[in-house]
Amino acid sequence: MEQILLDFDLRVMAPELVIVSAAALLSIIDLLLKESRSRKVIGWFGLAAVVLAGVFVAMAFGHEPYQILADTYRIDSFSLMFKAILLAGTAGVFLFSLASGKEEWKSREGEYYYLLLTALLGAMVMVSSADLITLFVGLELLSLSSYILVGIRKERGEANEAAWKYVVLGGVSSAFILYGMSFAYGLAGSTNLFEISRRFAEGMGGSGHLFIYLSLFLMMVGFGFKVAFVPFHMWAPDVYQGASTPIAAFLAIVSKTAAFAFIIRVLLVAYSPLMSDASWMEVVSWMLMIVAALSMILGNTIALRQTNAKRLMAYSSIAQAGYLVVPFATIGLVPFDLFPSMLFYLVAYLFMTFGAFVVIEFVTKDRGHGGISAFAGLSRRSPWLAAAMTLFLISLAGLPLTAGFFGKFYLITSTLFNNQEWLAAVMILTTIVSYYYYFGIVRQMYFLPPYSDQKVPVPWLATIAILLGVGGTIGLGLFPEPLLTFIGELDWTSVLSIASSGAPQ
């Protein structure tokens, strides 16, 4: 019997329904409010919606996998964990945006907040889908919202330039992904990832073998743009610099996390038959390892030359993407080993990157320019702000007793466990290289004279945001085991299992 949407238990879609309802409601409120009225209330309502969606996600852990309409929507351990990261990152960006009070987008403040919600909705659709159509719809919803958010400060030339580059290169990446999907659909006759996997398994020995790999390579080119790993990273520095700092943080955390979720879902489900093929280790695995190594080497090396704080963070983000690609390079050996190390690093990356961007925003705003020299003498002007930034930087560098240290430690040990010693060596050496530019900012803060004796003004909301980043970075550095245990106890085999469409347990 054919099923329609109303035949399913829609309670499992509560997080998405909260976000889409909030976005629609806030857009109407924005239209009804007088132009002279502040739109901050829209931001607070948006933050409340994100928190409520997070509560629903937390309540969903521990239930059996569930699907709606042939896996166009799917709830399992994978989607729930990634949604938790996406919601936490977006909540932080809302808090950050409310604190920053950017004058450039005051006239478009309402649009700014509900576009953040639509971007989040796209990311949540991506991590909850096992069908090519809804995966692409989610990707485009995230991408289109992000393009507008990058260029929302349209009075500024650098924002217009950043948005234009992002639109063009983002469109190219979407075209590659869609072209790869069209090959997958043509070979399998279905857009369902589980059905594609079954058809690929049947056609591995036939003439379609090369076309299966071609579809994968085309999609990986598109994924490369979305994640910003080498050689598809050229948009990131300009976009990070031209976008407002909260949006740069959103791109670094939320967009990157959603893109990695997309890659994992497609690789582990649709292309799982390739992992048992010898050419996977000979071709695909080596391709991914080279991409990871180049991202780490070029990202960290070019960052040495940067004088703008946000451009430096962009190249740092490219290097971090390289570290996160490493688990994919050995995915064919032990597929589910990538989840604990990768998810721990994504959570650690969320706290330390978010905190660093918040500090950068208020230090550079006070100085009047975005250069690293804005941090000169910060330890004498605002000692606690300098201490917080130092913590975020040493965590990004991977020094002990921080979240970043354990994140890189687990990635490196996982790489060694899979007998890729040379790749582990690249990770260690590039991490050492990163010390130079991270500690270049520390040197500015502690060893150079300040341009002023006055404290850097930091609103109370920004103080809360920084303290959340500090708490997460220190907490995961001192007590990594609870998060690792929680991730390890989740049922990751459900990623590859056909979910029930009956009432969730």
Side-chain angles (χ1 to χ4, degrees):
M1 180 180 176
E2 186 176 341
Q3 291 179 306
I4 63 173
L5 184 62
L6 295 178
D7 293 329
F8 296 91
D9 187 346
L10 298 182
R11 290 176 299 174
V12 298
M13 296 185 68
E16 286 82 0
L17 293 174
V18 167
I19 297 301
V20 72
S21 300
L25 179 62
L26 294 180
S27 64
I28 295 171
I29 293 173
D30 183 40
L31 287 172
L32 296 177
L33 283 177
K34 293 181 179 179
E35 288 188 15
S36 58
R37 291 289 299 273
S38 171
R39 263 56 180 176
K40 277 194 179 294
V41 64
I42 295 178
W44 283 110
F45 274 119
L47 177 58
V50 173
V51 172
L52 180 59
V55 171
F56 283 120
V57 167
M59 292 168 61
F61 279 103
H63 296 290
E64 293 295 319
Y66 186 79
Q67 64 85 21
I68 291 176
L69 295 178
D71 284 301
T72 52
Y73 177 87
R74 180 182 176 87
I75 183 168
D76 51 24
S77 297
F78 175 89
S79 64
L80 291 172
M81 192 65 206
F82 273 95
K83 279 183 199 176
I85 298 173
L86 295 173
L87 288 164
T90 307
V93 172
F94 265 97
L95 197 64
F96 186 3
S97 302
L98 287 164
S100 63
K102 285 284 185 182
E103 292 297 328
E104 298 96 326
W105 42 258
K106 277 292 183 183
S107 61
R108 295 171 292 278
E109 191 173 8
E111 299 166 33
Y112 173 88
Y113 290 122
Y114 56 75
L115 281 170
L116 276 177
L117 290 179
T118 58
L120 170 63
L121 179 64
M124 293 172 72
V125 170
M126 285 170 63
V127 304
S128 291
S129 179
D131 187 275
L132 293 179
I133 294 174
T134 43
L135 279 169
F136 190 75
V137 168
L139 175 66
E140 287 305 287
L141 182 56
L142 170 62
S143 299
L144 292 172
S145 301
S146 299
Y147 302 154
I148 300 170
L149 287 168
V150 167
I152 202 165
R153 303 184 300 169
K154 58 185 181 182
E155 292 82 5
R156 301 186 60 160
E158 61 181 9
N160 291 326
E161 179 186 352
W164 176 245
K165 289 179 179 178
Y166 197 22
V167 168
V168 172
L169 293 176
V172 170
S173 70
S174 294
F176 273 104
I177 292 173
L178 198 57
Y179 196 26
M181 286 180 171
S182 69
F183 274 102
Y185 173 72
L187 292 165
S190 174
T191 57
N192 181 275
L193 297 186
F194 292 96
E195 185 64 20
I196 291 172
S197 177
R198 188 177 69 81
R199 298 290 179 85
F200 280 2
E202 294 171 355
M204 283 298 293
S207 58
H209 186 246
L210 290 177
F211 286 100
I212 294 173
Y213 276 101
L214 177 60
S215 69
L216 174 61
F217 289 140
L218 287 169
M219 280 197 264
M220 289 306 296
V221 170
F223 293 149
F225 280 102
K226 299 299 182 185
V227 174
F229 55 63
V230 175
F232 312 109
H233 64 287
M234 63 287 292
W235 62 270
D238 290 333
V239 171
Y240 278 44
Q241 183 178 2
S244 63
T245 312
I247 296 307
F250 183 86
L251 297 177
I253 298 166
V254 177
S255 292
K256 193 180 292 289
T257 300
F260 273 113
F262 193 145
I263 297 171
I264 295 173
R265 184 76 84 177
V266 171
L267 280 181
L268 276 188
V269 181
Y271 291 92
S272 57
L274 300 185
M275 295 177 192
S276 58
D277 188 63
S279 56
W280 176 274
M281 294 304 299
E282 295 170 1
V283 179
V284 180
S285 182
W286 271 99
M287 177 194 73
L288 291 172
M289 285 192 283
I290 291 170
V291 163
L294 287 175
S295 299
M296 291 184 282
I297 293 168
L298 290 179
N300 283 306
T301 303
I302 300 176
L304 297 173
R305 303 280 298 174
Q306 300 307 307
T307 57
N308 181 278
K310 286 201 288 185
R311 289 186 73 87
L312 185 148
M313 289 298 293
Y315 282 107
S316 169
S317 177
I318 292 165
Q320 304 294 341
Y323 296 124
L324 287 165
V325 170
V326 170
F328 294 104
T330 54
I331 196 173
L333 298 176
V334 188
F336 298 108
D337 276 359
L338 71 90
F339 288 114
S341 58
M342 183 179 187
L343 284 168
F344 183 93
Y345 196 77
L346 280 172
V347 175
Y349 179 70
L350 184 160
F351 286 113
M352 56 194 181
T353 303
F354 171 68
F357 272 114
V358 176
V359 177
I360 287 170
E361 164 70 3
F362 292 99
V363 171
T364 56
K365 183 179 180 180
D366 177 68
R367 188 67 176 90
H369 65 80
I372 294 171
S373 60
F375 287 87
L378 184 63
S379 63
R380 302 178 204 176
R381 299 178 58 203
S382 300
W384 76 272
L385 202 59
M389 189 62 177
T390 302
L391 175 67
F392 299 137
L393 292 171
I394 65 174
S395 185
L396 285 164
L399 291 180
L401 299 180
T402 63
F405 168 76
F406 283 104
K408 289 184 178 178
F409 174 78
Y410 294 130
L411 289 176
I412 291 170
T413 53
S414 176
T415 307
L416 291 172
F417 177 78
N418 288 302
N419 301 314
Q420 300 297 338
E421 290 83 0
W422 73 272
L423 192 57
V426 171
M427 296 175 74
I428 293 169
L429 291 174
T430 53
T431 297
I432 294 171
V433 170
S434 72
Y435 294 169
Y436 183 85
Y437 61 84
Y438 287 133
F439 281 96
I441 299 178
V442 176
R443 173 179 166 271
Q444 291 278 345
M445 292 190 293
Y446 286 93
F447 297 104
L448 293 182
Y451 83 97
S452 168
D453 292 330
Q454 295 184 347
K455 286 188 175 183
V456 175
V458 180
W460 66 272
L461 280 176
T463 301
I464 292 173
I466 293 169
L467 290 176
L468 288 173
V470 169
T473 303
I474 294 177
L476 290 178
L478 296 177
F479 308 104
E481 196 60 33
L483 178 59
L484 281 171
T485 302
F486 175 76
I487 295 171
E489 290 176 349
L490 295 174
D491 179 18
W492 297 111
T493 59
S494 63
V495 178
L496 296 177
S497 65
I498 304 295
S500 167
S501 58
Q505 301 298 314

